[in-house]
Amino acid sequence: MADKIKCSHILVEKQGQALAILERLKKGEKFADIAKELSLDPGSGKRGGDLGYFGRGKMVKPFEAAAFKLAVGEISEPVKTEYGYHIIKRYS
């Protein structure tokens, strides 16, 4: 199992918004473009959702669990945390 993984995410307030983003991604829109447009995360949103590399214990538990389960290139279903709903894409 990887010690560190690289992910991007899009953070929104409501589950319906997250599901709408998944539909846009399935139609071929770029993850980074949607993150810049819609993500509520002020840091990563400007960088297309890029969170860089992180290891276990660095993110809130539901986010971390979902991110580490993803295969490289895979995009998560909406993940609920105290911050809202995340769509996560794993890069490595």
Side-chain angles (χ1 to χ4, degrees), residues 3-61:
D3 289 340
K4 286 193 170 185
I5 60 173
K6 184 176 183 187
C7 293
S8 290
H9 81 136
I10 301 169
L11 173 63
V12 292
E13 197 176 333
K14 297 183 171 88
Q15 185 176 20
Q17 293 169 303
L19 293 170
I21 288 167
L22 281 178
E23 286 305 311
R24 289 175 65 179
L25 290 167
K26 286 176 186 166
K27 290 177 182 169
E29 286 192 57
K30 288 192 166 75
F31 193 95
D33 291 345
I34 299 173
K36 286 176 188 171
E37 177 189 342
L38 297 176
S39 185
L40 299 176
D41 183 328
S44 73
K46 289 181 241 158
R47 298 189 306 272
D50 186 6
L51 294 169
Y53 287 90
F54 60 88
R56 294 190 182 275
K58 297 291 180 196
M59 301 292 180
V60 292
K61 289 282 181 218

Side-chain angles (χ1 to χ4, degrees), residues 7-8 31 63 66-67 70 74-76 79 86-90:
C7 293
S8 290
F31 193 95
F63 185 99
L70 292 172
E74 191 176 6
I75 295 173
S76 73
V79 177
H86 307 261
I87 302 293
I88 307 166
K89 182 172 183 179
R90 182 167 172 182

Side-chain angles (χ1 to χ4, degrees), residues 68-82:
F68 274 87
K69 281 184 196 166
L70 292 172
V72 172
E74 191 176 6
I75 295 173
S76 73
E77 291 297 314
V79 177
K80 186 176 183 352
T81 71
E82 64 259 37

